[in-house]
Amino acid sequence: MVSALRLYAEQTFVEQAQHYAAVLGMRGVSVEIELIEKLGSRFLRLNPELALCVDQDGLWLAANGMKMQPDWKGESGRLKRASLKSEMIARACNIAEKPRLIDATAGLGHDSLLMAHLGAHVTLVERHPILFTLLEDTQQRALDDKILHAAAARIRLVFSDSADYLAQQASLVQVVDVVYLDPMFPQRDQNQNAAKKQAQVKKQMQLLHMLLPEDGEMDLGDHLLPLAQKIAKRVVVKRPRLAVFLAGQSTEHQWLGDACRFDAYFQHDLNT
Ligand SMILES: C[S@@+](CC[C@H](N)C(=O)[O-])C[C@H]1O[C@@H](n2cnc3c(N)ncnc32)[C@H](O)[C@@H]1O
């Protein structure tokens, strides 16, 4: 159970706030609604602790004077420019084949939005109740957006731990084309360069990190790789460029970018 969080809203948005509080309550997050006069940047600066807030743009996570939600609208420019050739993630996940793809570490859903935009049929799995609720809200708004609608409609959200979800798919003898994994980053001492990149994480990622456990207890997702390999013809893992392999498993093929790389694992026996 995640401990009680404040949810700030102006009087105009009280119904929406009650709706989110109920949804989060069902997902094990207890939320205390606090009505305020004006939810502006001054208020957020004066209330720097981790909280949620609601306004005309839906549900937000707030802390340290900033607020954050998955920024699918902000990705529109990238989506317009994106092509199967120009996007390394699209080549690594073979999006040209319009695969059935499970993204087992959803986060803000930005990678999957891009892959869905380029034609993948995505099942997006997230276990964190607040992140999942933010994603659900973002997808609803994206469905009403001209540019984002088609991609958002190709994404199905699942609230689950991926270890359970992948094991369940294996027990149903389900095979998918791709499982995509982008777990939290390796420990800082594993790689100096990766640590430097980590220090530069964007505002959004800073807030995301506040929701997740401290580095010491961070779940690096090693156990997801063998589970994914049971059901996916191709597993693609996103890593900082010089980071160690997920689960220590070396890869058959790599796509290398400036800041990150994609490691691919092929299960040839699932290809029939
Ligand atoms: C680095 S973020 C992924 C960022 C994402 N690729 C994007 O484009 O926004 C990792 C996310 O995976 C989630 N995650 C990690 N392990 C998971 C698991 N076993 N089941 C479900 N979600 C998991 C974390 O809660 C976190 O939100």
Side-chain angles (χ1 to χ4, degrees):
M1 182 96 173
V2 181
S3 56
L5 265 188
R6 287 276 159 82
L7 193 167
Y8 298 118
E10 295 174 12
Q11 180 65 46
T12 337
F13 297 104
V14 67
E15 275 180 27
Q16 288 92 322
Q18 283 162 347
H19 162 76
Y20 292 122
V23 169
L24 284 160
M26 285 187 302
R27 295 178 180 152
V29 183
S30 76
V31 164
E32 202 177 298
I33 298 175
E34 190 173 319
L35 293 181
I36 54 168
E37 213 170 291
K38 181 144 181 56
L39 182 62
S41 47
R42 183 163 186 276
F43 176 84
L44 294 174
R45 270 199 315 279
L46 293 174
N47 293 275
E49 77 284 2
L50 192 67
L52 293 162
C53 54
V54 178
D55 65 13
Q56 63 286 354
D57 295 318
L59 184 68
W60 298 80
L61 186 67
N64 295 340
M66 305 183 282
K67 57 180 194 162
M68 176 287 263
Q69 60 182 185
D71 189 12
W72 289 15
K73 203 157 173 64
E75 294 288 296
S76 303
R78 181 176 181 196
L79 298 188
K80 278 189 202 156
R81 290 189 303 276
S83 73
L84 291 167
K85 270 195 182 162
S86 67
E87 294 290 344
M88 197 165 56
I89 190 174
R91 300 200 299 278
C93 294
N94 199 19
I95 302 299
E97 294 291 316
K98 303 202 182 318
R100 285 164 303 130
L101 180 149
I102 297 173
D103 178 342
T105 51
L108 302 175
H110 291 173
D111 289 338
S112 269
L113 178 69
L114 176 66
M115 293 193 279
H117 173 75
L118 292 172
H121 300 274
V122 178
T123 300
L124 191 52
V125 189
E126 176 57 55
R127 69 178 168 193
H128 196 291
I130 296 175
L131 267 177
F132 182 81
T133 307
L134 289 167
L135 275 173
E136 197 175 50
D137 194 46
T138 298
Q139 185 188 31
Q140 280 313 309
R141 270 174 292 114
L143 287 168
D144 292 334
D145 182 291
K146 257 195 202 155
I147 298 170
L148 300 176
H149 175 86
R154 276 198 284 273
I155 295 176
R156 186 172 73 91
L157 290 176
V158 174
F159 176 43
S160 171
D161 191 305
S162 287
D164 299 336
Y165 183 76
L166 294 171
Q168 185 199 33
Q169 296 304 300
S171 71
L172 296 171
V173 205
Q174 291 292 329
V175 173
V176 293
D177 299 306
V178 183
V179 169
Y180 176 73
L181 300 173
D182 175 17
M184 298 314 285
F185 309 114
Q187 287 145 6
R188 284 158 206 269
D189 56 6
Q190 277 177 299
N191 173 325
Q192 285 299 320
N193 283 349
K196 254 193 220 159
K197 290 260 151 44
Q198 228 171 328
Q200 297 156 7
V201 284
K202 293 189 289 188
K203 262 191 202 173
Q204 278 177 341
M205 282 293 163
Q206 288 173 21
L207 282 181
L208 189 107
H209 276 252
M210 288 180 76
L211 269 190
L212 304 170
E214 293 299 307
D215 274 8
E217 321 154 29
M218 194 182 273
D219 171 3
L220 300 177
D222 287 327
H223 61 302
L224 296 179
L225 181 55
L227 289 168
Q229 283 174 303
K230 283 193 184 150
I231 63 153
K233 296 176 194 171
R234 176 186 296 224
V235 180
V236 175
V237 181
K238 184 179 185 180
R239 306 299 274 164
R241 187 184 158 95
L242 299 173
V244 294
F245 290 116
L246 187 64
Q249 265 197 55
S250 59
T251 175
E252 285 175 50
H253 201 89
Q254 252 181 4
W255 285 261
L256 269 180
D258 293 338
C260 73
R261 65 167 206 264
F262 296 95
D263 296 343
Y265 302 86
F266 300 98
Q267 282 59 243
H268 301 291
D269 52 330
L270 291 180
N271 262 322
T272 46

